[in-house]
């Protein structure tokens, strides 16, 4: 039974009149591209089409209407019933369970990717978003609590002799590590994570299936067999089923509490996850991958056939040249195997007596080390199996791909469109589009161009302007940056007024009192791109996602920094509480170019990683032990704005230098630079300067001299406002309140 969408999908705008590349994408191609979304914006359109079609064709059960929680329960029950009696696992090769683990890798290595969208800064600030971030925190782990689920999956693969990165590395078609249907199975989750503005409800449904019934019942059934083969099964053993289940149900119920009309769409996401898994499982039972020893050996021949040519010119079997059999596709390969059995090289049932095994592939033979250890085991298993009753080969044809695979956009055309479309707009609109890039993917390209131009100007100023070049960066070392941070703390303390000031010091460029800064809604926005499970094994991603989650309140709405700042300026008008998806918020608030730069960087996390590292350290180090203390006490003493007081108190402690955001930011830089030092020592100073410049930018905005600020203004062409959102966001109330420090 197919339901129709309860409401029209809010489809992204991919641009007008943009040409397409000549070739359709394949499942593997699309999957690998989307692991690096910022370099592949031209794949977003086919990605969206894929998800739209997958959701459209999902078989949704007709369930009696009930209260939200009952409805969610009955949805779960429906799927659980369907999974209750899985097909018996027929005779299979010992290589089959590890093969299933490898085939599930595209999903396992991107575990949690479907939650990326729900935690984006424009959509996270509500109870559904909080439930989503709680779950992503579990799946993501962090350097202070434990590894991510994706890393655990990587450990499983490694324990089976499969390098995790190989799953998405370029390969010849015949050598692909997974069947196409396995990439197809992983695609929906990956794509949903890109389009929260279009598929929010569907994602909640998809997540519900993954958390409650997933991630992979077949893998769970094979766990004991895998364990006996010394597989590392932490991925399954440490899966926090209960916490994820509770949070996933909470997200679903909260969604329906927001709007009960979303049932059909949520159910569609749930059913699509269920259906995709069912198809994949069917494919894994010998239809799209080998299951019995003979099939594994045939696949081995297929994989090697191309490079076997030229090595067997003098060999023939039953009158047919081996070279022709290699070229003969499936039939030729099967014939070769039959001839091999009759050739005397193989003794059915006894690998140790088979010359092929004790001689041909030995050190004495012509094929030494042509077969991996796993392949040798498969060969032996096949030889043993020849003695027993032949196992019937899978009769059913391979499960066909069901996905819709369109054409990528022409990247040059898309770039041209992005510049023409977003370049001429006023800054408020540019920020609106940038913050809602899930609905306007091309804005990512515009944002990168603009950010690069900004950074170029900044770099030139630090190099050429004597007012800035006077204090150059120290040579990189872990100690040098740690000392810069210590020095910054001292500057914060010294910056406190000796005598109580008349008013709390107002940051430069304080917005007009009636108009709060847009920063009230964007604390942490620069870090949103670190919610990237595929890169969760990099320490800096771990720390920076951890900080991002913390800015969002660790999944608790009352702790959400943006909510606190919005409340602090709520006297300015109800618009201060509008979600970041609402255009009116951008008209109501003050927007400065720095707000835009932070969002632009967040859309290009990998591209601007060094700058983001420096910028983040600069922001986290701001105000702690200095301006934040005075502002906090000032608000307590002289106003009843306890939200503003809370914001400063909270940031003075949470951003602390010993165990808080500043320390995590410092560790992130040290971890990143250690990797640069390790893999490209010649690049160390360039990378460090990229980090330092943006750190220094924020330091000047907080503690710089008039000369330094003037130099920046001349170089950039505008008066830069603090990157740190707290002082900027609350400047409006500083200016309006009769506040003085006690
Ligand atoms: Fe914050
Ligand atoms: Fe912070």
């Amino acid at each position: 039974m197919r339901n129709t969408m309860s409401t029209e999908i809010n489809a992204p705008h991919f641009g007008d009149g943009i040409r397409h590349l000549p070739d359709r994408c394949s499942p593997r191609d699309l999957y690998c591209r989307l692991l690096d979304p910022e370099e592949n914006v031209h794949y977003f359109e086919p990605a969206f089409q894929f998800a739209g079609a997958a959701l459209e064709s999902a078989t949704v059960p007709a369930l009696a209407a009930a209260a939200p929680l009952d409805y969610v329960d009955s949805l779960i029950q429906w799927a659980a019933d369907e999974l209750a009696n899985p097909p018996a696992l027929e005779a299979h090769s010992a290589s089959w369970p590890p093969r299933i683990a490898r085939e599930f890798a595209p999903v396992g290595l991107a575990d949690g990717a479907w939650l990326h969208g729900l935690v984006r800064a424009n959509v996270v600030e509500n109870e559904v978003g909080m439930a989503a971030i709680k779950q992503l925190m579990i799946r993501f782990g962090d350097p202070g609590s434990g590894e991510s689920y994706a890393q655990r999956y990587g450990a499983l693969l490694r324990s089976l002799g499969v390098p995790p990165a190989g799953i998405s590395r370029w390969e010849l078609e015949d050598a692909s590590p997974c069947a196409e249907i396995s990439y197809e199975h992983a695609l929906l989750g990956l794509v949903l994570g890109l389009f929260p503005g279009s598929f929010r409800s569907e994602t909640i449904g998809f997540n519900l299936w993954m958390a409650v019934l997933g991630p992979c019942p077949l893998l769970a059934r094979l766990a004991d067999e895998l364990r006996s083969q010394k597989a590392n099964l932490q991925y399954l053993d440490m899966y926090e089923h209960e916490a994820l289940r509770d949070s996933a149900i909470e997200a679903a119920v909260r969604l329906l509490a927001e709007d009960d009309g979303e049932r059909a769409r949520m159910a569609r996401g749930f059913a699509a996850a269920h259906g995709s898994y069912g198809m994949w499982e069917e494919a894994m039972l010998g239809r799209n991958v080998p299951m019995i020893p003979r099939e594994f050996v045939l696949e081995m021949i297929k994989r090697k056939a191309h490079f076997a040519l030229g090595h067997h010119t003098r060999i023939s079997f039953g009158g047919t040249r081996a070279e022709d059999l290699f070229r003969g596709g499936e039939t030729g390969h099967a014939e070769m195997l039959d001839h091999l059995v009759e050739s005397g090289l193989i003794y059915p049932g006894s690998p140790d007596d088979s010359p092929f095994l004790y001689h041909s592939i030995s050190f004495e033979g012509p094929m030494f080390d042509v077969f991996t250890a796993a392949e040798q085991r498969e060969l032996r298993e096949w030889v043993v199996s020849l003695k027993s009753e032949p196992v019937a080969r899978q009769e059913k044809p391979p499960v066909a791909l069901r996905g819709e695979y369109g054409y990528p956009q022409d990247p040059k055309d898309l770039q041209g469109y992005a510049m023409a479309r977003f370049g001429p707009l006023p800054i408020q609109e540019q920020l609106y589009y940038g913050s809602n890039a899930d609905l306007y993917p091309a804005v990512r390209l515009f944002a990168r161009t603009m950010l690069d131009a900004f950074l170029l100007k900044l770099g030139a100023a630090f190099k050429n302007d004597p007012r800035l070049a006077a204090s150059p960066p120290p040579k990189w070392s872990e100690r040098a940056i740690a000392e810069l941070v210590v020095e910054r703390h001292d500057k914060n303390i010294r910056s406190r007024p000796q005598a109580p000031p008349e008013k709390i010091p107002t940051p430069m460029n304080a917005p007009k009192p009636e108009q709060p800064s847009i920063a009230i809604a964007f604390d942490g926005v620069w870090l949103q791109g670190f919610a990237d499970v595929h890169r969760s094994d990099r320490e800096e991603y771990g720390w920076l996602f951890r900080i991002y989650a913390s800015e969002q309140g660790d999944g608790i709405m009352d702790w959400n920094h943006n909510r606190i700042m919005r409340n602090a300026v709520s006297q300015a008008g109800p618009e201060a509480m509008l979600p970041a998806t609402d255009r009116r918020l951008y008209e109501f608030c003050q927007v400065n170019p720095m707000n835009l730069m932070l969002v632009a960087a967040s859309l290009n996390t990998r591209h601007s990683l060094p700058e983001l590292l420096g910028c983040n350290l600069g922001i986290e180090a701001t105000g702690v032990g200095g301006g934040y203390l005075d502002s906090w006490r000032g608000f307590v003493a002289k106003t009843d704005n306890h939200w503003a007081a809370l914001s400063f108190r909270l940031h003075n402690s949470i951003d602390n230098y010993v165990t808080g955001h500043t320390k995590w930011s410092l560790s992130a830089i040290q971890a990143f630079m250690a990797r640069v030092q390790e893999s490209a020592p010649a690049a160390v100073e360039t990378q460090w300067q990229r980090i330092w410049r943006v750190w220094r930018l924020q330091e000047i905005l907080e503690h710089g001299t008039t000369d330094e600020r003037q130099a920046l203004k001349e170089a950039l062409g505008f008066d830069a406002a603090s990157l740190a959102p707290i002082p900027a966001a609350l400047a409006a109330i500083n200016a309006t309140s009769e506040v003085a420090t006690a």
Side-chain angles (χ1 to χ4, degrees):
M1 345 126 232
R2 281 171 60 157
N3 292 8
T4 45
M5 286 280 176
S6 56
T7 35
E8 210 43 25
I9 290 181
N10 190 11
H13 200 273
F14 292 103
D16 304 309
I18 294 166
R19 279 190 294 266
H20 289 86
L21 296 180
D23 299 318
R24 281 180 191 280
C25 46
S26 66
R28 177 174 161 80
D29 183 27
L30 191 54
Y31 176 84
C32 296
R33 295 282 185 164
L34 295 182
L35 290 180
D36 197 2
E38 65 188 70
E39 297 302 326
N40 292 292
V41 179
H42 55 302
Y43 276 76
F44 279 34
E45 191 182 47
F48 183 83
Q49 289 162 351
F50 172 87
L55 292 162
E56 191 64 34
S57 63
T59 306
V60 182
L63 300 170
L69 183 57
D70 298 332
Y71 181 74
V72 170
D73 280 344
S74 56
L75 207 51
I76 293 171
Q77 198 53 54
W78 162 73
D81 289 346
E82 289 218 333
L83 293 169
N85 296 304
L89 296 181
E90 288 167 22
H92 56 260
S93 151
S95 295
W96 184 65
R99 177 56 174 267
I100 296 309
R102 192 172 93 199
E103 294 290 337
F104 191 68
V107 182
L109 292 174
D111 185 301
W114 57 91
L115 292 167
H116 288 168
L118 297 178
V119 307
R120 296 297 282 193
N122 60 331
V123 295
V124 70
E125 206 190 314
N126 48 63
E127 293 296 352
V128 171
M130 292 299 106
I133 211 161
K134 251 187 255 169
Q135 294 173 73
L136 190 54
M137 287 173 76
I138 293 175
R139 293 183 187 271
F140 205 102
D142 72 73
S145 67
E147 73 282 31
S148 68
Y149 283 24
Q151 275 174 286
R152 287 183 197 156
Y153 207 87
L156 167 59
L157 290 176
R158 273 192 296 273
S159 70
L160 297 170
V162 179
I167 299 297
S168 52
R169 198 170 271 159
W170 189 88
E171 268 294 0
L172 288 166
E173 217 169 295
D174 281 351
S176 172
C178 304
E180 285 289 309
I181 198 152
S182 295
Y183 291 103
E184 176 167 291
H185 178 45
L187 269 173
L188 184 56
L190 207 52
V191 176
L192 287 178
L194 293 176
F195 300 110
S198 308
F199 296 133
R200 181 170 178 255
S201 305
E202 288 84 350
T203 308
I204 305 280
F206 180 93
N207 180 58
L208 185 65
W209 193 92
M210 289 303 277
V212 180
L213 299 141
C216 184
L218 179 59
L219 199 60
R221 289 177 76 192
L222 297 175
D224 287 342
E225 263 184 88
L226 284 165
R227 226 182 289 278
S228 71
Q229 294 186 31
K230 297 200 168 66
N232 177 339
L233 283 171
Q234 289 194 344
Y235 176 72
L236 293 180
D237 297 342
M238 295 175 73
Y239 213 90
E240 281 129 297
H241 283 287
E242 215 167 298
L244 288 171
R245 179 194 162 94
D246 290 353
S247 243
I249 293 176
E250 185 192 338
V253 172
R254 295 243 187 217
L255 174 76
L256 300 187
E258 254 179 35
D259 180 0
D260 206 29
E262 291 300 298
R263 279 184 192 207
R265 294 178 63 162
M266 189 190 78
R268 185 178 297 275
F270 182 89
H274 184 68
S276 174
Y277 173 75
M279 251 182 70
W280 178 81
E281 191 187 275
E282 245 185 278
M284 292 303 107
L285 297 173
R287 290 178 63 176
N288 297 49
V289 297
M291 198 168 177
I292 56 172
R294 180 182 163 88
E295 290 166 357
F296 274 99
V297 176
L298 281 171
E299 189 191 54
M300 194 188 308
I301 297 175
K302 183 179 167 199
R303 196 163 55 232
K304 295 180 186 290
H306 181 84
F307 294 108
L309 289 174
H311 295 268
H312 298 79
T313 43
R314 294 189 188 168
I315 298 169
S316 52
F317 290 112
T320 314
R321 282 156 25 104
E323 299 269 321
D324 292 335
L325 293 175
F326 277 125
R327 278 196 199 90
E330 272 177 35
T331 334
H333 301 164
E335 213 179 301
M336 170 175 281
L337 216 50
D338 295 339
H339 285 311
L340 200 59
V341 177
E342 289 149 16
S343 68
L345 288 169
I346 297 292
Y347 275 45
S350 171
D352 290 336
D353 299 326
S354 302
F356 188 82
L357 285 144
Y358 73 70
H359 172 69
S360 307
I361 67 172
S362 75
F363 184 67
E364 309 297 324
M367 299 168 88
F368 175 63
D369 262 2
V370 163
F371 296 91
T372 65
E375 287 172 340
Q376 291 183 34
R377 197 183 58 187
E378 280 161 12
L379 282 169
R380 295 180 69 87
E381 238 196 302
W382 167 64
V383 175
V384 171
S385 76
L386 292 170
K387 193 67 189 264
S388 27
E389 248 339 83
V391 178
R393 277 201 69 182
Q394 177 63 252
E395 292 299 318
K396 294 179 186 163
V399 175
L401 292 174
R402 254 205 334 211
E404 193 175 308
Y405 297 95
Y407 299 86
Q409 292 175 305
D410 179 320
K412 274 203 192 111
D413 232 25
L414 192 61
Q415 173 75 27
Y417 161 81
M419 295 312 290
R421 169 76 181 85
F422 301 106
L425 299 178
I427 189 169
Q428 286 82 355
E429 288 204 44
Q430 289 176 337
L431 185 65
Y432 164 77
Y433 287 115
S435 310
N436 291 283
D438 50 329
L439 292 175
Y440 307 92
V443 78
R444 290 164 162 264
L445 302 173
F446 162 73
R448 175 181 293 194
T449 308
M450 197 194 53
L451 179 69
D452 285 348
F454 170 82
L455 293 171
L456 210 62
K457 281 188 204 164
L458 191 67
F462 277 119
K463 194 166 160 223
N464 304 325
D465 192 310
R467 289 166 292 181
L468 298 170
S471 29
K475 200 172 149 24
W476 164 257
S477 74
E478 288 181 1
R479 179 178 177 152
I481 191 172
E483 284 175 352
L484 280 184
V485 172
V486 172
E487 202 182 297
R488 177 72 169 275
H489 193 257
D490 295 343
K491 283 184 190 175
N492 288 359
I493 292 172
R494 283 199 306 271
S495 72
R496 294 182 68 185
Q498 296 298 311
E502 292 284 294
K503 281 189 171 184
I504 295 169
T506 304
M508 311 168 49
N509 292 332
K512 287 190 216 98
E514 68 276 12
Q515 209 181 3
S517 159
I518 193 83
I520 52 165
F522 286 110
D523 195 7
V525 70
W526 60 94
L527 298 175
Q528 63 177 341
F530 290 97
D532 179 347
V533 291
H534 182 60
R535 294 180 172 76
S536 54
D537 60 337
R538 285 156 222 193
E539 189 182 329
E540 67 272 19
Y541 275 70
W543 288 125
L544 297 179
F545 172 66
R546 182 70 195 84
I547 298 178
Y548 180 69
S550 178
E551 302 291 344
Q552 302 302 337
D554 288 340
I556 299 169
M557 202 62 218
D558 288 344
W559 297 4
N560 184 293
H561 297 194
N562 293 305
R563 184 49 59 105
I564 292 168
M565 290 194 290
R566 286 165 181 274
N567 275 316
V569 302
S570 60
Q571 82 246 30
E575 292 93 336
M577 307 307 278
L578 287 170
T581 47
D582 195 316
R583 266 200 148 88
R584 290 171 298 168
L585 179 71
Y586 303 77
E587 287 154 19
F588 177 72
C589 290
Q590 279 256 329
V591 174
N592 70 52
M594 301 311 250
N595 303 129
L596 192 56
M597 292 310 150
L598 290 180
V599 168
S602 80
L603 296 174
N604 291 284
T605 302
R606 209 164 64 77
H607 176 75
S608 6
L609 180 55
E611 285 82 10
L612 275 168
L613 287 164
C615 153
N616 180 63
L617 181 64
I619 293 176
E620 301 299 351
T622 296
V624 176
Y628 288 0
L629 268 174
D630 292 313
S631 301
W632 160 28
R633 290 178 185 158
F635 277 111
V636 170
K638 299 289 179 187
T639 76
D640 56 4
N641 193 333
H642 65 275
W643 290 109
L646 169 60
S647 181
F648 283 109
R649 171 170 67 74
L650 171 67
H651 283 95
N652 188 60
S653 59
I654 208 168
D655 290 344
N656 81 75
Y657 284 48
V658 188
T659 52
H661 293 186
T662 301
K663 174 64 177 174
W664 300 350
S665 307
L666 174 62
S667 304
I669 294 179
Q670 290 169 330
F672 168 76
M673 286 302 294
R675 243 185 27 247
V676 176
Q677 184 107 49
E678 190 62 37
S679 50
V684 163
E685 288 306 319
T686 337
Q687 296 297 309
W688 164 230
Q689 281 176 25
R690 288 178 61 185
I691 296 172
W692 178 85
R693 252 174 241 151
V694 191
W695 147 269
R696 180 72 183 133
L697 169 67
Q698 172 59 16
E699 193 182 46
I700 292 176
L701 296 175
E702 195 188 10
H703 298 305
T705 62
T706 320
D707 262 6
E708 287 169 339
R709 293 183 195 199
Q710 183 58 28
L712 276 180
K713 184 175 173 178
E714 287 165 24
L716 300 178
F718 58 84
D719 212 349
S722 172
L723 291 164
I726 330 308
L730 301 178
I733 27 175
N734 285 351
T736 45
S737 317
E738 284 303 308
V739 181
T741 44

